[in-house]
Amino acid sequence: MTAPSNPLDFTGRSVLITGAASGIGAACSHWLAAQGAKRLVLIDRDRDGLDALKLDTATERFAIDVADPAKWSELEADLGMLDHVIVNAGIGGSGEIADLTFKEWRRVMAVNLDGAFLTLAAGIRAMKRNGKGSAVVTASITGVKPVPGIGPYGVAKAAVAHMARIAAAENAVHGIRVNAIAPGGVDTAIWEGSPDFQNAVADHGREAALKGMATTTPRGTFATSEEIAGEIGFLLSDLAANVTGIVHITDGGYSF
């Protein structure tokens, strides 16, 4: 395919997005549709959230658990060829290492690490059928900077960031780029599962609770999902043709 005159033009391209029903995944879906993507394969456990997405492009929507290998075996035949993959599905998790139960550890690892592996592996195979492509894995600044009390979440995000780098090294010869993005605080629904956040919202309201949490960031505010989607779009795009195997930190200065 001849490179488009606009390197942010995704016209005619097909993209797989996990965690697509809300937050960063939904924002990526809207961004890619606006850039002309022809086909979006959207995956999330939240069927209602998937159904609620209003997108001006062809979509295929699957309400599955990304950590279920049997579901991926069923789905892979329907993927066909892909141009891009966004490995984004994730859940929150907190607690100090010494206090965690193995059940809680596995709950978070199943989605954030196992699910990411299954997604990326299937996505790379589909991009190989296309002869080229690019992928972005959503990691986290907590996988780069040690943050007490985030237990398996930070460990899983460190692992997926390195997985992206290994996949980049393995697949450059196939014309496939793989990068990770490591956001700091982002205003998404993932915070809703945190007891501390719930208490802060009850006492001060959601906006004030987020603003209070963002005081640790030099920028003084959390990112929006749309801001992160734009950065993911850049990493997927032809503008980033020479970029592979990086962990792109986008945290408003939190990790200075």
Side-chain angles (χ1 to χ4, degrees), residues 93-104:
S94 61
E96 295 190 4
I97 296 294
D99 299 329
L100 285 166
T101 64
F102 185 67
K103 181 179 180 180
E104 174 62 8

Side-chain angles (χ1 to χ4, degrees), residues 58-245:
T59 62
E60 299 162 30
R61 309 182 190 208
F62 300 92
I64 66 170
D65 183 346
V66 295
D68 186 343
K71 292 296 184 183
W72 279 108
S73 294
E74 295 172 8
L75 177 61
E76 192 162 350
D78 295 327
L79 292 180
M81 295 188 299
L82 291 172
D83 294 288
H84 308 288
V85 177
I86 301 175
V87 184
N88 175 70
I91 58 175
S94 61
E96 295 190 4
I97 296 294
D99 299 329
L100 285 166
T101 64
F102 185 67
K103 181 179 180 180
E104 174 62 8
W105 175 269
R106 283 305 314 154
R107 181 187 74 86
V108 178
M109 286 290 174
V111 176
N112 292 2
L113 180 53
D114 301 344
F117 157 71
L118 290 167
T119 304
L120 185 59
I124 288 172
R125 289 190 290 268
M127 289 188 290
K128 282 183 176 180
R129 291 192 286 272
N130 190 37
K132 64 177 181 177
S134 61
V136 175
V137 177
T138 302
S140 168
I141 196 59
T142 64
V144 178
K145 176 180 179 177
V147 178
I150 47 76
Y153 183 83
V155 174
K157 291 302 186 177
V160 298
H162 198 57
M163 178 178 70
R165 299 182 71 196
I166 292 172
E170 292 174 341
N171 289 283
V173 68
H174 301 296
I176 295 170
R177 298 184 297 107
V178 185
N179 294 293
I181 188 167
V186 184
D187 182 3
T188 71
I190 200 168
W191 297 107
E192 313 300 341
S194 165
D196 289 342
F197 183 70
Q198 292 170 358
N199 291 336
V201 170
D203 292 339
H204 307 291
R206 194 175 193 280
E207 185 173 344
L210 285 170
K211 187 172 181 63
M213 294 167 65
T215 58
T216 59
T217 301
R219 186 186 180 198
T221 185
F222 279 1
T224 65
S225 295
E226 289 72 22
E227 288 172 331
I228 303 302
E231 295 181 45
I232 290 172
F234 161 74
L235 290 171
L236 291 177
S237 78
D238 295 344
L239 274 175
N242 195 45
V243 181
T244 193

